[in-house]
Amino acid sequence: SLSKRLALLLTGQAASPQLCPGLVAYVDLDERAIDALREFNEEGALSVLQQFKESDLSHVQNKSAFLCGVMKTYRQREKQGSKVQESTKGPDEAKIKALLERTGYTLDVTTGQRKYGGPPPDSVYSGVQPGIGTEVFVGKIPRDLYEDELVPLFEKAGPIWDLRLMMDPLSGQNRGYAFITFCGKEAAQEAVKLCDSYEIRPGKHLGVCISVANNRLFVGSIPKNKTKENILEEFSKVTEGLVDVILYHQPDDKKKNRGFCFLEYEDHKSAAQARRRLMSGKVKVWGNVVTVEWADPVEEPDPEVMAKVKVLFVRNLATTVTEEILEKSFSEFGKLERVKKLKDYAFVHFEDRGAAVKAMDEMNGKEIEGEEIEIVLAKPP
């Protein structure tokens, strides 16, 4: 009986290999899950195990994490004074099975999300994980809708890397939104064109936009004498996944920074964990507590608009660089409309797009007045 299995579990004497026959073996559960279960009284633990037993575990890779999720949900319901909900009608398993067989993708279910793919089968895509600009946010999803309806719609835009449907453990239904990463930027842009305002059910229209997953933190209270290398080394000691530091120097003193920087992490999860650690007040950098906020996400302009840009943004300029020096350096690539320098950066306006691109390609990284300049196409206001 469930009671006997629980008694064996709580005393750590589960001689029987199966806690819930056909579902999970005792050895499948790690100490964290078992210790957490021991904290419940018998009635609570029985309810948790009963709910775990009734859950569909066919796509659950990590049984321990799932059981911990069930326990967390149970405690949340207890706090709200609501009864543990009867299992809500989930997806049509036959349709999910047919989808997975057709596409060859995997499905990993936790209490908080259902993750389809990530990575996809090699036959679909075998490259590296797609980067910025390949993920779309899908909102206004009917709460009882699953992958069997979403995937056939979105795969029309291009190959999917992964689809993460966010789940509400308290209701057992989805939260009304999902994130879909495509294998390329073009597919993500196509998905917005095809699926934004798409009527997926009578009267139910999806909202789809390019997702800006923030993996950049703004950090203040940085000693002004620290270099990019100093900052990278110091923050790598206390956080994980740091890939770059964006630092701005004082226009009149290149040896000093402006007292703040941006930390770029490999993904949103690493950035979120770093933010939590740095905000905890327990972590000190050079003996000080630093101020941390999310950096404002950089909106990627429309590619069609960027394809017409004829203005260059030139940064890291020495104080001795004048507009006249810039005009002389850049005019050899084509006719200029005007040059405007502000502090340690400038905007160089060309009459012709081709000349602007050629100047950027050839001048980026070159030295002007002893400083290596950086050039990108200026983003339209």
Side-chain angles (χ1 to χ4, degrees), residues 37-331:
L37 197 54
R38 284 196 185 105
E39 290 175 17
F40 283 80
N41 60 27
E42 184 161 338
E43 184 194 348
L46 277 167
S47 295
V48 165
L49 275 183
Q50 185 66 45
Q51 198 183 344
F52 181 62
K53 184 176 172 228
E54 287 170 3
S55 302
D56 179 3
L57 300 176
S58 48
H59 303 294
V60 175
Q61 318 297 329
N62 188 333
K63 307 285 196 297
S64 284
F66 192 89
L67 178 56
C68 287
V70 172
M71 288 187 263
K72 185 179 174 186
T73 306
Y74 181 87
R75 288 195 192 281
Q76 285 174 320
R77 286 205 180 105
E78 266 192 329
K79 266 186 200 167
Q80 293 176 7
S82 59
K83 284 217 162 84
V84 173
Q85 189 149 335
E86 295 299 315
S87 295
T88 314
K89 182 181 176 292
D92 183 329
E93 271 308 315
K95 287 181 178 174
I96 297 291
K97 189 178 179 220
L99 170 72
L100 299 179
E101 283 175 359
R102 173 177 73 79
T103 62
Y105 278 65
T106 55
L107 180 64
D108 183 11
V109 175
T110 66
T111 50
Q113 74 171 13
R114 296 169 60 88
K115 184 182 177 190
Y116 168 85
D122 283 347
S123 57
V124 175
Y125 178 83
S126 56
V128 295
Q129 185 164 352
I132 292 168
T134 58
E135 183 183 79
V136 298
F137 170 83
V138 185
K140 302 182 189 171
I141 299 172
R143 300 300 170 105
D144 58 347
L145 186 145
Y146 297 91
E147 300 80 14
D148 56 306
E149 289 180 72
L150 287 170
V151 170
L153 171 64
F154 281 92
E155 66 186 357
K156 289 175 186 169
I160 292 171
W161 169 273
D162 72 10
L163 183 157
R164 301 183 314 284
L165 181 63
M166 299 302 149
M167 300 299 292
D168 179 3
L170 291 173
S171 71
Q173 295 187 307
N174 77 57
R175 288 184 181 271
Y177 66 95
F179 296 94
I180 304 175
T181 304
F182 288 89
C183 297
K185 284 186 181 181
E186 296 77 13
Q189 286 154 10
E190 185 64 20
V192 175
K193 284 181 193 166
L194 282 179
C195 308
D196 187 34
S197 300
Y198 180 84
E199 190 172 10
I200 197 153
R201 296 256 181 93
K204 301 286 183 185
H205 297 264
L206 297 176
V208 184
C209 61
I210 297 288
S211 159
V212 186
N214 205 344
N215 52 356
R216 188 178 288 183
L217 299 178
F218 169 86
V219 181
S221 313
I222 298 285
K224 292 187 177 175
N225 61 342
K226 300 298 176 188
T227 64
K228 177 176 174 171
E229 289 70 28
N230 297 151
I231 295 167
L232 194 60
E233 183 186 354
E234 194 68 16
F235 281 93
S236 293
K237 288 178 193 169
V238 291
T239 64
E240 287 178 20
L242 181 61
V243 290
D244 195 16
V245 170
I246 298 153
L247 193 64
Y248 295 92
H249 294 101
Q250 295 189 13
D252 52 350
D253 187 351
K254 293 290 175 186
K255 288 180 181 166
K256 286 188 177 175
N257 68 62
R258 295 188 192 172
F260 66 86
C261 70
F262 293 95
L263 304 180
E264 184 96 22
Y265 286 84
E266 60 190 12
D267 53 31
H268 177 71
K269 188 178 177 184
S270 302
Q273 286 172 340
R275 178 175 171 268
R276 271 200 300 274
R277 286 209 72 195
L278 295 169
M279 285 179 78
S280 69
K282 295 173 191 168
V283 176
K284 292 194 173 178
V285 187
W286 297 296
N288 298 319
V289 173
V290 291
T291 55
V292 185
E293 290 174 34
W294 283 112
D296 291 333
V298 181
E299 289 284 351
E300 286 298 317
D302 187 295
E304 289 174 17
V305 175
M306 285 305 287
K308 296 172 186 167
V309 171
K310 299 183 286 186
V311 183
L312 299 182
F313 175 67
V314 186
R315 63 175 286 245
N316 203 36
L317 295 173
T319 39
T320 51
V321 172
T322 61
E323 288 177 358
E324 289 71 24
I325 290 172
L326 289 171
E327 205 169 309
K328 191 179 174 193
S329 302
F330 283 92
S331 59

Side-chain angles (χ1 to χ4, degrees), residues 353-373:
R353 156 91 180 180
V357 172
K358 189 166 189 281
M360 176 174 70
D361 291 344
E362 293 197 24
M363 292 291 288
N364 191 24
K366 291 272 170 71
E367 276 193 13
I368 297 184
E369 297 284 299
E371 287 287 348
E372 203 175 281
I373 62 170

